[in-house]
CSV table of all heavy atoms in Angstrom, one decimal:
chain,number,residue,atom,x,y,z
A,346,GLU,N,-11.3,-15.9,4.3
A,346,GLU,CA,-12.6,-15.3,4.2
A,346,GLU,C,-12.6,-13.8,4.7
A,346,GLU,O,-13.2,-13.0,4.1
A,346,GLU,CB,-13.6,-16.1,5.0
A,346,GLU,CG,-13.9,-17.5,4.5
A,346,GLU,CD,-14.9,-17.5,3.3
A,346,GLU,OE1,-15.6,-16.5,3.1
A,346,GLU,OE2,-15.0,-18.5,2.6
A,347,LEU,N,-12.0,-13.6,5.8
A,347,LEU,CA,-11.9,-12.2,6.3
A,347,LEU,C,-11.2,-11.3,5.4
A,347,LEU,O,-11.6,-10.1,5.2
A,347,LEU,CB,-11.3,-12.2,7.7
A,347,LEU,CG,-12.0,-12.8,8.9
A,347,LEU,CD1,-11.3,-12.7,10.2
A,347,LEU,CD2,-13.4,-12.3,9.0
A,348,TRP,N,-10.1,-11.8,4.8
A,348,TRP,CA,-9.3,-11.0,3.8
A,348,TRP,C,-10.2,-10.6,2.6
A,348,TRP,O,-10.2,-9.5,2.2
A,348,TRP,CB,-8.1,-11.7,3.4
A,348,TRP,CG,-7.2,-11.1,2.5
A,348,TRP,CD1,-7.1,-9.7,2.2
A,348,TRP,CD2,-6.2,-11.7,1.6
A,348,TRP,NE1,-6.1,-9.5,1.2
A,348,TRP,CE2,-5.6,-10.7,0.9
A,348,TRP,CE3,-5.8,-13.0,1.5
A,348,TRP,CZ2,-4.6,-11.0,0.0
A,348,TRP,CZ3,-4.8,-13.3,0.6
A,348,TRP,CH2,-4.2,-12.3,-0.2
A,349,ASP,N,-10.9,-11.6,2.1
A,349,ASP,CA,-11.8,-11.4,1.0
A,349,ASP,C,-12.9,-10.3,1.3
A,349,ASP,O,-13.2,-9.5,0.5
A,349,ASP,CB,-12.5,-12.7,0.6
A,349,ASP,CG,-11.6,-13.7,-0.1
A,349,ASP,OD1,-10.4,-13.3,-0.5
A,349,ASP,OD2,-12.0,-14.8,-0.3
A,350,ASP,N,-13.4,-10.4,2.6
A,350,ASP,CA,-14.4,-9.4,3.0
A,350,ASP,C,-13.8,-8.0,3.0
A,350,ASP,O,-14.5,-7.0,2.6
A,350,ASP,CB,-14.9,-9.7,4.4
A,350,ASP,CG,-15.9,-10.9,4.4
A,350,ASP,OD1,-16.4,-11.2,3.4
A,350,ASP,OD2,-16.1,-11.5,5.5
A,351,CYS,N,-12.6,-7.9,3.5
A,351,CYS,CA,-11.9,-6.6,3.5
A,351,CYS,C,-11.8,-6.0,2.1
A,351,CYS,O,-12.0,-4.8,1.9
A,351,CYS,CB,-10.6,-6.7,4.2
A,351,CYS,SG,-10.6,-6.9,6.0
A,352,CYS,N,-11.4,-6.8,1.1
A,352,CYS,CA,-11.2,-6.4,-0.2
A,352,CYS,C,-12.6,-6.1,-0.9
A,352,CYS,O,-12.7,-5.2,-1.7
A,352,CYS,CB,-10.5,-7.4,-1.1
A,352,CYS,SG,-8.7,-7.5,-0.6
A,353,ALA,N,-13.6,-6.8,-0.5
A,353,ALA,CA,-15.0,-6.6,-1.0
A,353,ALA,C,-15.4,-5.2,-0.5
A,353,ALA,O,-16.1,-4.5,-1.3
A,353,ALA,CB,-15.9,-7.7,-0.5
A,354,ARG,N,-15.1,-4.8,0.7
A,354,ARG,CA,-15.5,-3.5,1.2
A,354,ARG,C,-14.8,-2.4,0.4
A,354,ARG,O,-15.5,-1.4,0.1
A,354,ARG,CB,-15.0,-3.3,2.7
A,354,ARG,CG,-15.7,-4.2,3.7
A,354,ARG,CD,-15.1,-4.0,5.1
A,354,ARG,NE,-15.8,-4.9,6.0
A,354,ARG,CZ,-15.4,-5.0,7.3
A,354,ARG,NH1,-14.4,-4.2,7.8
A,354,ARG,NH2,-16.0,-5.9,8.1
A,355,ALA,N,-13.6,-2.6,0.0
A,355,ALA,CA,-12.9,-1.7,-0.9
A,355,ALA,C,-13.6,-1.5,-2.2
A,355,ALA,O,-13.7,-0.4,-2.8
A,355,ALA,CB,-11.4,-2.0,-1.0
A,356,ILE,N,-14.0,-2.6,-2.8
A,356,ILE,CA,-14.6,-2.6,-4.1
A,356,ILE,C,-15.9,-1.9,-4.1
A,356,ILE,O,-16.3,-1.1,-4.9
A,356,ILE,CB,-14.7,-4.1,-4.7
A,356,ILE,CG1,-13.3,-4.6,-5.0
A,356,ILE,CG2,-15.6,-4.1,-5.9
A,356,ILE,CD1,-13.3,-6.1,-5.3
A,357,VAL,N,-16.7,-2.2,-3.0
A,357,VAL,CA,-18.0,-1.6,-2.9
A,357,VAL,C,-17.9,-0.1,-2.6
A,357,VAL,O,-18.6,0.8,-3.1
A,357,VAL,CB,-18.8,-2.3,-1.8
A,357,VAL,CG1,-20.1,-1.5,-1.4
A,357,VAL,CG2,-19.2,-3.7,-2.2
A,358,ALA,N,-16.9,0.3,-1.8
A,358,ALA,CA,-16.6,1.7,-1.6
A,358,ALA,C,-16.3,2.5,-2.9
A,358,ALA,O,-16.5,3.7,-3.0
A,358,ALA,CB,-15.5,1.9,-0.6
Side-chain angles (χ1 to χ4, degrees):
E346 291 281 345
L347 291 184
W348 180 22
D349 288 349
D350 284 342
C351 288
C352 289
R354 291 177 185 179
I356 291 169
V357 171

